[in-house]
Amino acid sequence: EIVLTQSPGTVSLSPGERATLSCRASQTIDRNYLAWYQQKLGQAPRLLIYGASSRATAIPDRFSGSGSGTDFTLTISRLEPEDFALYYCQQYGDSPITFGQGTRLEIK
Amino acid sequence: QVQLQESGPGLVKPSQTLSLTCTVSGDSIVSGSYFWSWIRQSAGKGLEWIGRIHSSGSTHYNPSVKSRVAISRDTSKNEFSLRLDSLTPADTAVYYCARGLPSERFDPWGQGTLVTVSS
């Protein structure tokens, strides 16, 4: 199965700053089938990005995804207070579907 | 607006069988080309995809649980269900149901239900 490794484990930033989260796959992800999710405490994950770079419905344009092959990045251009949460990547190019272990984005 | 809601017991004994149901509103589980999935989240293993049933009725499971899992559906109630046998404490997790869009990104998710395996 494809193992996804997210880095850093935790990142501390201030509102207004730029966040860059990384997701590295153990092998090439077919058709760049890579998604990003946001999860807040006590809530289910919410789809942010799919196909590595396409924003899901109603997701603000400060969220963007990039990358291909084995290296992918989620960028939040200007952090809002509501953006501090857990972020997960997920690959759906190969079975079984797998998730990264998550990056915690906390307020500095 | 599509909504999913999990239901089932919160506490199950080791070696017993877990049965959970996901009730879907705002969409039909037999239309489109969607994958109706179960995913769990535990402190030890993070997010783990368990398996799914396609709108056609075909199923597919994670090899990690394949020998003891079954996903079925009741089209008259617009529900799909998870059965997981031979439970151990390692199966303790929050269980989510989710709609897998074509190519299996998940949107939306249910709110999740905590299942604890303990005697």
Side-chain angles (χ1 to χ4, degrees), chain A residues 87-104:
Chain A
Y87 291 84
Y88 294 95
C89 56
Q90 173 227 339
Q91 67 81 23
Y92 48 102
D94 189 37
S95 184
I97 292 164
T98 52
F99 293 85
Q101 84 282 12
T103 289
R104 181 179 302 278

Side-chain angles (χ1 to χ4, degrees), chain B residues 95-113:
Chain B
Y95 285 74
Y96 295 99
C97 57
R99 183 180 66 173
L101 299 172
S103 56
E104 293 192 91
R105 58 199 191 264
F106 300 114
D107 184 35
W109 298 51
Q111 67 183 27
T113 186

Side-chain angles (χ1 to χ4, degrees), chain A residues 3-95:
Chain A
V3 176
L4 299 177
T5 302
Q6 293 186 241
S7 61
T10 302
V11 57
S12 300
L13 294 168
S14 300
E17 290 192 298
R18 180 186 187 91
T20 303
L21 282 59
S22 174
C23 177
R24 176 164 290 179
S26 59
Q27 56 189 278
T28 295
I29 296 177
D30 191 28
R31 290 169 285 181
N32 289 334
Y33 278 170
L34 191 285
W36 289 93
Y37 298 86
Q38 177 194 67
Q39 187 177 33
K40 297 181 179 179
L41 190 62
Q43 298 183 16
R46 176 177 70 143
L47 179 67
L48 299 174
I49 301 288
Y50 64 94
S53 60
S54 297
R55 267 189 304 277
T57 302
I59 299 304
D61 61 6
R62 64 180 181 273
F63 291 91
S64 63
S66 61
S68 64
T70 61
D71 290 302
F72 299 88
T73 300
L74 174 69
T75 301
I76 311 171
S77 59
R78 296 170 308 279
L79 286 166
E80 299 286 343
E82 62 267 27
D83 298 337
F84 292 91
L86 277 165
Y87 291 84
Y88 294 95
C89 56
Q90 173 227 339
Q91 67 81 23
Y92 48 102
D94 189 37
S95 184

Side-chain angles (χ1 to χ4, degrees), chain B residues 11 75 80 90:
Chain B
L11 180 63
T75 57
F80 64 104

